[in-house]
Amino acid sequence: MSRHTPLLVGLTLALLVLVLVGLALQAIRTLLWDLSYLLPHWLLTPVLLLGSGLIAVVVIQVSWSWRQRYLRSTRIQPKKVQKTPTNCRDAANQSLINVDRLIERLKSEMIRKSLQAERNRVSEELQRGDLVIVVFGIGSSGKTSLIRALLQKIVGEVGAPMGLTTECHRYRFHLKGLERSLQLVDTPGILEDGDNGLSREEVARYRAIQADLIMVVVDSDLCASELRIVRSIADLGKRLLLVLNKRDLYGLEEEKRLLQILRSRCASFLSTPNVLACSAAPQSIARLGHRPLQPKPDITDLLQRLATILRVEGEELIADNILLQCRSLDSRGRDLLNQQRIREAQRCVDRYSWIGAGVVASTPLPLPGVDLLSAAAVNTQMVVEMANIYGIEMSKERARKLAISVGRILMTLGMVKGAMSLLSTALTLNLPTLLVGQAVQGITVAWLTRIAGTSFIRFFERDQDWGDGGMQDAVQEAFQLNRREISLKRFLETAMQQVVEPLQRSAKRRLPPHSKHRREVEASDHVHQEP
């Protein structure tokens, strides 16, 4: 567009307005002349004033209506500002509202029910009154013995073999000076052998993630696997205590050495006071001529540390834990919704791939250039539908610009010619000469559509952002993904069904029964049907 175009348009409009004003003045002059003959002189002025008033009212009314309509069309609607949660409980409630919205958008009934059940459980957690403490660690470290010592009664089953605790058990416990009661959860041991051991470890880790406070029980130094698991739980934001059990088996110096090692290993996520020792079930002491002496559990340091933490941080621990669970649930819901969107977007891309392939393959004359193949591969309506899948309102004009941009990149990077060459090599040997051109062009369009569609899936997944490398890198990445051997083989198998076989059937109907081309088509059809 020339830079003088706006000036010419403005001058034309001004000239048009002057002409209309001149015509209006001429009409008024003619009207006054006619009225001077028809009306008495004393009545002429009131009539003119009344007419002028009516005209002014009409002009003002029309102008006001147009102005209001213009303001409504151009006014930017203010966004609803979400109230910032003032505490963890409010933030958790807001997360649950977000989860409800996600559940409504999920289409799988089974997934909806599963997420709804988890949402209801977390909602009930908001109303609970007890602090939940999970006792966690490897088998035979003394978890159940520690719970017995805290409760001062015999519960669960203890012994030397690993794996005696095969499921979680809950016990009610009250600590002096606390308004809330405590729930102690005994969990199966971690790092046990076999499928059953792995299954029990998953249960233990799941319970640990739901806890307000976790007591990790060990009876010696942490092995690498234990440290990795404990660190992963701490990284989620969980509050931990590391308890060295069976202190009665070590001398004072050995106990100090072990505590120093444990504090050093866990320094990045545990402070020194939160690594301490106890003896939940001290070994009996033999006495000559008397019954063995059974010492009482030595858990004073642990009880004092528990009391300090729960008095100072108890309410915050509950709120933080529930918020963490809500956010985890929200994240899971978003992941499920994103997986659903990817599946729907891929189906959309597949549909438009084979629609475009069918149109191009059935064109009687070969397309005059690869530029038309790139244009045919990127369908504006496909972009609009993919935007709708991701909950984005996109105008056809913006979708068209995006489609054109991706089509140009396909051309600029030489992907159209590269695709035709790659696919021609794979298809020429199995097709008669008559069908090669049409088939290759149709299948090329389908393949390029898949590349463009894969690029747009990445674009919408990232909230309409192409990433640091921009659109070109996204298209190149999609090209590399689709040219992998497995992906390409699967695509060509589908292409034979969607493009080649329909072309063969169409050619059979059009060609004479005994012509050379007819025999080539039938021979090709026979080759494709062989196992």
Side-chain angles (χ1 to χ4, degrees):
M1 182 182 289
S2 171
R3 59 191 179 93
H4 299 297
T5 301
L7 179 61
L8 293 175
V9 171
L11 291 173
T12 303
L13 290 175
L15 182 60
L16 181 61
V17 169
L18 289 174
V19 170
L20 291 175
V21 169
L23 292 174
L25 291 174
Q26 181 64 33
I28 292 172
R29 181 181 177 186
T30 303
L31 178 63
L32 290 175
W33 184 263
D34 292 339
L35 288 175
S36 65
Y37 285 99
L38 296 175
L39 296 176
H41 181 72
W42 60 271
L43 189 59
L44 181 61
T45 301
V47 169
L48 290 176
L49 290 175
L50 179 61
S52 300
L54 289 174
I55 292 172
V57 168
V58 171
V59 170
I60 291 171
Q61 182 66 31
V62 172
S63 301
W64 178 260
S65 176
W66 284 355
R67 181 176 181 275
Q68 291 298 106
R69 189 178 304 168
Y70 173 76
L71 289 176
R72 282 197 299 270
S73 64
T74 57
R75 186 183 301 140
I76 298 175
Q77 296 294 334
K79 293 184 178 180
K80 293 183 179 179
V81 179
Q82 277 192 346
K83 187 178 178 181
T84 304
T86 56
N87 53 58
C88 292
R89 192 169 291 272
D90 290 343
N93 278 316
Q94 183 60 50
S95 290
L96 289 178
I97 292 172
N98 294 338
V99 171
D100 288 335
R101 292 170 180 164
L102 287 171
I103 291 173
E104 290 176 359
R105 298 163 77 176
L106 292 172
K107 295 184 178 180
S108 170
E109 184 69 19
M110 184 175 66
I111 292 176
R112 272 207 313 270
K113 286 182 178 180
S114 172
L115 200 61
Q116 185 67 50
E118 186 68 10
R119 183 252 182 242
N120 293 341
R121 185 195 64 76
V122 174
S123 180
E124 289 174 3
E125 287 282 296
L126 279 170
Q127 313 304 325
R128 67 175 165 86
D130 293 349
L131 277 155
V132 178
I133 302 175
V134 163
V135 185
F136 184 82
I138 64 171
S140 76
S141 62
K143 300 187 300 298
T144 304
S145 296
L146 181 56
I147 289 178
R148 284 183 175 187
L150 290 169
L151 297 175
Q152 297 182 5
K153 64 180 181 180
I154 295 176
V155 294
E157 186 178 358
V158 297
M162 296 180 68
L164 287 179
T165 302
T166 57
E167 56 186 24
C168 294
H169 298 282
R170 290 176 179 265
Y171 305 99
R172 200 77 178 275
F173 172 59
H174 188 76
L175 197 61
K176 188 176 179 179
L178 285 180
E179 293 183 3
R180 291 182 182 271
S181 293
L182 307 177
Q183 282 188 33
L184 294 175
V185 182
D186 192 7
T187 59
I190 61 173
L191 300 176
E192 296 177 2
D193 295 332
D195 292 339
N196 290 336
L198 183 59
S199 176
R200 290 194 293 267
E201 179 178 320
E202 289 177 356
V203 171
R205 295 179 70 166
Y206 176 71
R207 291 300 178 190
I209 291 172
Q210 293 179 346
D212 299 318
L213 176 66
I214 304 169
M215 286 196 297
V216 181
V217 182
V218 297
D219 59 3
S220 62
D221 188 13
L222 283 166
C223 69
S225 300
E226 283 180 282
L227 182 60
R228 185 175 62 254
I229 293 173
V230 173
R231 187 189 297 276
S232 69
I233 294 174
D235 288 344
L236 294 175
K238 307 303 295 186
R239 188 73 158 85
L240 301 178
L241 279 178
L242 181 59
V243 182
L244 173 62
N245 193 19
K246 306 179 183 180
R247 71 190 306 179
D248 57 300
L249 300 181
Y250 305 105
L252 185 59
E253 292 302 319
E254 179 65 10
E255 178 188 321
K256 288 182 179 179
R257 188 185 72 84
L258 277 173
L259 285 175
Q260 186 177 0
I261 292 172
L262 291 171
R263 286 166 179 161
S264 174
R265 292 193 191 284
C266 303
S268 62
F269 58 89
L270 273 178
S271 60
T272 298
N274 292 322
V275 182
L276 63 160
C278 75
S279 184
Q283 288 191 338
S284 57
I285 302 173
R287 293 187 299 177
L288 187 63
H290 296 277
R291 297 178 63 181
L293 177 65
Q294 181 60 53
K296 291 184 179 180
D298 180 7
I299 57 172
T300 304
D301 293 345
L302 175 60
L303 283 172
Q304 289 178 348
R305 186 59 188 159
L306 270 177
T308 300
I309 291 174
L310 297 180
R311 285 194 188 104
V312 176
E313 306 176 33
E315 296 302 315
E316 186 178 344
L317 285 176
I318 291 178
D320 286 345
N321 175 37
I322 293 174
L323 178 58
L324 181 63
Q325 291 188 54
C326 288
R327 287 177 173 169
S328 175
L329 184 61
D330 189 9
S331 176
R332 181 186 166 205
R334 292 180 185 279
D335 288 342
L336 290 170
L337 180 61
N338 190 51
Q339 291 169 16
Q340 173 184 292
R341 285 171 166 171
I342 289 174
R343 289 193 297 270
E344 291 183 5
Q346 287 173 341
R347 286 196 292 267
C348 175
V349 172
D350 284 343
R351 187 172 72 254
Y352 278 97
S353 294
W354 303 120
I355 288 174
V359 171
V360 172
S362 61
T363 304
L365 296 176
L367 291 174
V370 292
D371 55 334
L372 292 182
L373 288 183
S374 64
V378 191
N379 189 296
T380 300
Q381 187 59 33
M382 179 185 76
V383 180
V384 172
E385 288 188 23
M386 292 177 71
N388 289 335
I389 289 171
Y390 281 86
I392 299 167
E393 292 185 8
M394 180 175 288
S395 66
K396 285 193 174 182
E397 178 61 24
R398 181 160 184 260
R400 186 183 67 83
K401 290 180 179 178
L402 284 170
I404 290 173
S405 298
V406 171
R408 285 174 179 167
I409 287 179
L410 291 174
M411 280 292 301
T412 304
L413 298 179
M415 292 182 184
V416 180
K417 292 183 178 179
M420 291 187 70
S421 174
L422 179 68
L423 297 172
S424 297
T425 303
L427 292 170
T428 301
L429 298 177
N430 296 329
L431 285 175
T433 307
L434 177 67
L435 301 180
V436 168
Q438 290 175 272
V440 168
Q441 286 186 350
I443 295 173
T444 299
V445 165
W447 199 58
L448 293 174
T449 302
R450 289 170 68 89
I451 294 172
T454 304
S455 306
F456 281 115
I457 289 175
R458 172 179 171 178
F459 173 70
F460 289 120
E461 268 190 311
R462 297 185 176 187
D463 197 18
Q464 303 183 71
D465 183 6
W466 290 108
D468 295 337
M471 184 185 293
Q472 181 167 317
D473 277 11
V475 175
Q476 284 182 320
E477 182 181 335
F479 180 80
Q480 296 300 328
L481 285 172
N482 283 277
R483 71 177 298 177
R484 290 178 180 174
E485 185 177 352
I486 296 176
S487 299
L488 186 59
K489 182 179 179 181
R490 190 182 301 119
F491 168 77
L492 289 174
E493 288 173 354
T494 308
M496 297 301 293
Q497 299 173 0
Q498 297 287 342
V499 178
V500 177
E501 291 177 6
L503 277 176
Q504 289 173 331
R505 290 193 294 270
S506 175
K508 282 183 182 179
R509 289 193 298 268
R510 295 197 315 266
L511 296 172
H514 303 294
S515 66
K516 176 183 177 183
H517 291 319
R518 176 67 176 263
R519 289 194 298 272
E520 287 181 351
V521 171
E522 290 175 346
S524 171
D525 192 15
H526 178 70
V527 168
H528 292 149
Q529 292 176 0
E530 287 181 354

